[in-house]
Amino acid sequence: MINWENTTELDAFNKLLASVSVNLQEVMAGAEGARRVAECSVPMAAGLVYNYAAKAVDGDILNILAELADEAQLIQKYRELYNGAIINTGENRLVLHHLTRGQLGNAVIADGVDKREFYLSIEKEIAEFADKVHSGEITNEAGERFTAVVQIGVGGSDLGPRAVYMALENWCRAKDRLLMKAGFISNVDPDDALNVIGTTDLEHTLFILVSKSGTTLETLTNESFVREKLAEAGLKPSRHMIAVTSRTSPIATSDEYMKAFFMDDYIGGRYSVTSAVGGVILSLAFGPDIFHRFISGAAEADKMADNPQILENAALLDALIGVYERNVLGYKAMAMLPYSQALSRFPAHLQQLEMESNGKSVNRFGEPIDYDTGYIIFGEPGTNGQHSFYQLLHQGTDVIPLQFIGFRKSQTGSDLEIQGSTSQQKLCANVAAQIMAFACGRDNEDTNKRFDGGRPCSLIVGEQLTPEATGALISHFENKIMFQGFIWNINSFDQEGVQLGKTLTRDVLSHKTDGALKGYSDLLGI
């Protein structure tokens, strides 16, 4: 039997509150520190490794975290999710993004359909369409090949696909697999759309409208902008537009689109990159085989997340340590620091994934809770961030945990030795140095130059950022956030917090305003 209990009702959590804290500087110093780094690694999918040596945990705390995982029934709840239980209680829906990349448990039947077979059929449709575009079977009005693709979407319809495209663009270019250049329009600010359109060869570009409901205001506004520009260029918009939407949306059967690919209500936007939301643009840009390799990495990580042993399950361990830091040590934010320029948009994707999922103040039954949930997530790729916000991370009054991501090899293999080391070696050296600086600090008689240390860090490290590794990273953080939501007894799969602003925006645009709302509307010239 599955029990859904608030965090503070769990015996293991209260045991955790009474635990003895670890002095991070002491355990990371000298020979003991070297042994700790060697011992505190957990294998991940696609050859990645999660290292937690610079986290303030020891054997006693890890034992309590294992008890917490068991008492909170984290693995059982994960199995309930992927076997088709209604986990999204706010919207009374199943949660099925795992099914877009593999069958973990029993067949899931919803709306009279085997959902795994449905997702496979959509993936096959996408692959066939992409192959026809690449071969020149599908062309523009002049019979010429499409050479570029632009996605029109917002939120999860933009952040995940954009982050993954940017993650793999250089890798595919180096492998001669960048088949179509991709662009993205997301902000309703007309300058965003105009900037993309102004640098795009409209005649040879496909546009993908992504909207589950087919009614998203920002997305439809940008679509209209694009259609107008296509018409001004003497092009027929319907020959340049395809859609990703639900079967029930008003655009599902519209003849204004060359083709429609379907998604459903069981996959939230921020979890949708392995569905048609990411599948269409990534298959067009890189080829269906690269997209399949990407989702295969995610599928492997999903399987590894099903292991009840916390020292063999990186997503589970990462989640548990995060709850310890948030609810026992009291840390409110987390910095995501990928030391890979290819992952430059990854922190923004994870920001939405974490803050839209676990930014909740009521439990899954709608009851107020009296403990902290979620993290404030921010980040930039290294080494850029070191010359930006690291000052506060090192010497500010708040302790902020840090998640580093690094790779031993660059994506392109192109590097140059300068002053006795290559650029990639310099990049990796910065990762090692920063982790030690944050964890151990350095004393100095000049307090302005004193580093207190004690800043906890984790490191995900791999050989190279490949399609499989990118998928494994996506899955790792999705599953970490899921496990934390289970511990906090909240619904990580709805996002009512984004709805009020949408409603008030419609009121402003229809001039149904009074009071301060009218005042702001007037101030902005609406």
Side-chain angles (χ1 to χ4, degrees):
M1 178 179 176
I2 298 293
N3 297 311
W4 298 96
E5 298 176 292
N6 285 353
T7 309
T8 48
E9 297 170 357
L10 301 171
D11 292 337
F13 176 74
N14 289 295
K15 195 173 177 180
L16 199 61
L17 289 173
S19 63
V20 178
S21 60
V22 172
N23 186 313
L24 190 55
Q25 292 96 321
E26 289 182 1
V27 300
M28 288 295 289
E32 181 181 346
R35 286 194 299 271
R36 185 176 171 89
V37 173
E39 293 170 357
C40 294
S41 288
V42 179
M44 296 173 59
L48 300 175
V49 170
Y50 171 74
N51 186 279
Y52 63 96
K55 289 290 192 181
V57 297
D58 59 11
D60 291 338
I61 290 173
L62 289 172
N63 287 336
I64 301 172
L65 292 177
E67 292 177 22
L68 179 61
D70 289 340
E71 187 180 358
Q73 300 176 297
L74 300 185
I75 298 300
Q76 293 96 314
K77 289 171 182 174
Y78 179 35
R79 291 171 180 169
E80 285 281 296
L81 182 150
Y82 68 63
N83 279 312
I86 296 176
I87 298 297
N88 180 351
T89 51
E91 298 170 307
N92 197 36
R93 290 175 180 164
L94 289 69
V95 176
L96 299 183
H97 55 274
H98 296 89
L99 269 181
T100 62
R101 52 236 197 186
Q103 184 79 55
L104 285 166
N106 302 326
V108 177
I109 308 298
D111 307 323
V113 174
D114 182 316
K115 297 307 293 186
R116 175 58 184 158
E117 292 303 316
F118 168 72
Y119 298 137
L120 280 172
S121 69
I122 297 300
E123 184 183 343
K124 182 180 178 183
E125 279 187 46
I126 292 169
E128 290 173 349
F129 180 83
D131 285 340
K132 288 179 181 179
V133 171
H134 296 149
S135 69
E137 186 176 340
I138 293 176
T139 65
N140 66 5
E141 300 97 311
E144 299 166 339
R145 295 192 184 199
F146 291 106
T147 59
V149 57
V150 173
Q151 182 135 315
I152 307 169
V154 70
S157 298
D158 169 74
L159 287 167
R162 189 193 296 244
V164 173
Y165 174 77
M166 293 175 69
L168 296 178
E169 182 180 14
N170 275 343
W171 186 90
C172 285
R173 183 181 286 111
K175 307 285 187 189
D176 198 26
R177 291 308 310 271
L178 185 57
L179 305 181
M180 298 174 73
K181 184 72 175 175
F184 297 84
I185 298 173
S186 60
N187 199 327
V188 75
D189 182 341
D191 290 342
D192 184 28
L194 195 59
N195 180 58
V196 174
I197 291 170
T199 57
T200 298
D201 177 4
L202 293 178
E203 190 175 355
H204 301 96
T205 299
L206 276 171
F207 290 87
I208 310 169
L209 178 79
V210 182
S211 174
K212 186 191 298 185
S213 66
T215 61
T216 310
L217 177 64
E218 300 96 325
T219 301
L220 295 183
T221 300
N222 281 328
E223 181 201 19
S224 296
F225 196 98
V226 168
R227 284 183 178 276
E228 183 175 307
K229 294 301 179 183
L230 286 167
E232 288 176 0
L235 301 170
K236 188 175 181 180
S238 62
R239 291 293 303 271
H240 290 261
M241 303 287 296
I242 57 180
V244 176
T245 190
S246 67
R247 289 189 185 276
T248 57
S249 88
I251 62 177
T253 57
S254 171
D255 58 8
E256 291 298 310
Y257 303 92
M258 186 188 308
K259 174 77 174 173
F261 300 97
F262 295 119
M263 55 200 289
D264 59 37
D265 288 335
Y266 305 119
I267 300 175
R270 58 195 176 278
Y271 297 98
S272 67
V273 67
T274 53
S275 74
V277 171
V280 177
I281 190 165
L282 296 174
S283 295
L284 286 168
F286 306 138
D289 58 326
I290 299 299
F291 177 67
H292 184 74
R293 288 178 61 177
F294 163 66
I295 62 175
S296 294
E300 183 186 355
D302 290 342
K303 291 177 183 177
M304 296 181 79
D306 201 26
N307 189 332
Q309 301 301 317
I310 69 168
L311 296 183
E312 299 173 5
N313 185 336
L316 182 58
L317 180 60
D318 198 2
L320 290 161
I321 292 175
V323 168
Y324 173 64
E325 291 175 338
R326 184 73 176 101
N327 297 99
V328 178
L329 301 182
Y331 304 147
K332 299 181 182 298
M334 178 173 290
M336 304 302 306
L337 309 172
Y339 275 63
S340 167
Q341 186 61 29
L343 292 176
S344 60
R345 201 61 183 155
F346 205 64
H349 171 61
L350 296 182
Q351 187 178 65
Q352 186 200 21
L353 193 62
E354 167 72 38
M355 296 174 72
E356 198 168 80
S357 295
N358 288 345
K360 305 293 173 64
S361 58
V362 298
N363 66 17
R364 58 189 290 106
F365 306 113
E367 303 162 343
I369 51 179
D370 59 358
Y371 48 86
D372 293 326
T373 66
Y375 275 96
I376 298 167
I377 300 290
F378 66 97
E380 283 288 328
T383 57
N384 299 29
Q386 292 175 201
H387 298 272
S388 174
F389 52 81
Y390 276 38
Q391 170 60 41
L392 185 146
L393 299 182
H394 277 294
Q395 292 183 306
T397 54
D398 286 297
V399 174
I400 297 175
L402 307 106
Q403 171 70 74
F404 290 85
I405 303 173
F407 300 92
R408 301 180 192 94
K409 295 180 180 178
S410 68
Q411 284 190 310
T412 62
S414 176
D415 206 349
L416 190 65
E417 185 171 313
I418 301 173
Q419 297 178 347
S421 59
T422 67
S423 297
Q424 189 68 22
Q425 288 171 333
K426 289 180 175 70
L427 185 68
C428 291
N430 273 278
V431 176
Q434 289 293 334
I435 292 174
M436 286 303 294
F438 281 119
C440 296
R442 178 171 292 174
D443 198 12
N444 195 297
E445 290 183 2
D446 183 347
T447 56
N448 194 51
K449 297 180 180 180
R450 182 181 301 155
F451 294 79
D452 291 335
R455 269 66 171 166
C457 308
S458 57
L459 169 64
I460 293 175
V461 63
E463 194 68 16
Q464 188 181 49
L465 183 59
T466 61
E468 291 86 353
T470 305
L473 284 172
I474 291 284
S475 171
H476 173 86
F477 288 103
E478 288 180 352
N479 290 324
K480 170 191 172 181
I481 287 164
M482 171 194 70
F483 286 132
Q484 288 181 330
F486 289 160
I487 296 171
W488 288 322
N489 198 28
I490 59 177
N491 180 11
S492 301
F493 304 105
D494 67 359
Q495 57 285 330
E496 291 300 324
V498 305
Q499 301 304 323
L500 177 58
K502 290 182 179 180
T503 301
L504 292 178
T505 297
R506 286 191 287 269
D507 290 344
V508 171
L509 292 173
S510 59
H511 302 287
K512 297 176 182 177
T513 59
D514 56 19
L517 186 58
K518 185 179 188 306
Y520 281 119
S521 301
D522 293 342
L523 188 62
L524 288 161
I526 302 166

